[in-house]
Amino acid sequence: AQSVTQPDIHITVSEGASLELRCNYSYGATPYLFWYVQSPGQGLQLLLKYFSGDTLVQGIKGFEAEFKRSQSSFNLRKPSVHWSDAAEYFCAVLSGGYNKLIFGAGTRLAVHP
Amino acid sequence: NAGVTQTPKFQVLKTGQSMTLQCAQDMNHNSMYWYRQDPGMGLRLIYYSASEGTTDKGEVPNGYNVSRLNKREFSLRLESAAPSQTSVYFCASSEIREDTQYFGPGTRLTVL
């Protein structure tokens, strides 16, 4: 069965530090992968997506993610975190029938000044 | 262009009451979805509609019904609410099902 694992439930970083959020997926074919961000009390906003092509994808707000098929990973990175990046981040894969997104449990990011 | 809108934003029900959550999108998308979000579980699909006139069950459909009223609107109904349905409900839409989904702001539902 398809699944998405985000190993880190909570991460705390200092403002200006680099960030990497981990995401591993279980999927038989080439996956369609997404990262969404959710600020408190808000809906989900798409950060970036990977469908095919270049395995390093750029997103909004200075985020990027790298698809590594050999490791079944799609980790999210940002070189310098801002206080406004504090939020919950969800990795997701589009299922084989393309009729649903399968989400990870999320990683909550806190940013210290 | 409002994207995906949901009403109401908040709702408190007593066990056994019914209610309908409304969702509308103005992006001319074909596919629409209802998810629920519970702590530590990410989002789980309740029902989806791949195109106008069709609906299908997702991962957790029990206790819910849906109606794709037209291309713009997709409603979720709880016929007899239970405390286990306390959750945040999100509606989403996509142009085609193999595409990016765009989410509404959510409805926070509490069932007492």
Side-chain angles (χ1 to χ4, degrees):
Chain A
Q2 296 122 13
S3 64
V4 175
T5 302
Q6 294 180 247
D8 304 305
I9 297 173
H10 294 280
I11 285 183
T12 301
V13 299
S14 298
E15 191 168 17
S18 63
L19 173 70
E20 182 168 25
L21 302 182
R22 295 182 291 165
C23 171
N24 293 98
Y25 64 89
S26 170
Y27 191 79
T30 300
Y32 288 3
L33 293 159
F34 303 81
W35 275 100
Y36 285 89
V37 61
Q38 184 180 31
S39 298
Q42 303 297 313
L44 278 75
Q45 181 183 21
L46 178 70
L47 282 176
L48 48 78
K49 63 184 179 184
Y50 171 79
F51 281 10
S52 65
D54 193 346
T55 57
L56 184 64
V57 292
Q58 302 297 321
I60 62 171
K61 304 185 180 185
F63 285 92
E64 66 178 26
E66 186 170 13
F67 169 60
K68 292 185 177 180
R69 184 188 301 276
S70 62
Q71 298 178 18
S72 297
S73 68
F74 189 55
N75 293 348
L76 182 71
R77 300 193 293 248
K78 186 169 185 178
S80 178
V81 171
H82 188 263
W83 63 266
S84 60
D85 293 324
E88 190 156 20
Y89 292 79
F90 292 94
C91 181
V93 64
L94 199 59
S95 73
Y98 304 120
N99 50 30
K100 67 176 182 179
L101 280 172
I102 299 171
F103 284 86
T107 298
R108 187 170 297 277
L109 174 67
V111 180
H112 280 178
Chain B
N1 190 339
V4 180
T5 57
Q6 294 182 234
T7 55
K9 286 186 166 46
F10 302 94
Q11 184 71 48
V12 179
L13 294 177
K14 294 180 180 178
T15 297
Q17 288 185 316
S18 62
M19 79 161 295
T20 299
L21 281 64
Q22 306 288 351
C23 172
Q25 51 89 10
D26 62 1
M27 296 176 281
N28 201 35
H29 285 172
N30 289 301
S31 300
M32 298 185 73
Y33 312 82
W34 276 106
Y35 292 88
R36 61 177 288 172
Q37 182 181 30
D38 302 293
M41 301 185 74
L43 281 76
R44 293 178 293 168
L45 184 68
I46 305 171
Y47 270 92
Y48 68 98
S49 171
S51 60
E52 188 178 354
T54 68
T55 61
D56 286 285
K57 294 179 180 179
E59 188 181 352
V60 288
N62 291 345
Y64 305 96
N65 285 300
V66 290
S67 295
R68 184 74 183 267
L69 305 170
N70 47 55
K71 191 171 185 179
R72 290 187 64 246
E73 298 172 288
F74 189 38
S75 62
L76 179 71
R77 182 160 178 83
L78 286 71
E79 291 291 351
S80 178
S84 60
Q85 295 178 303
T86 293
S87 188
V88 181
Y89 291 85
F90 288 98
C91 179
S93 71
S94 62
E95 185 169 346
I96 55 174
R97 61 182 189 175
E98 305 88 346
D99 199 1
T100 303
Q101 294 182 21
Y102 295 90
F103 286 79
T107 294
R108 186 173 295 274
L109 174 67
T110 301
V111 183
L112 302 175

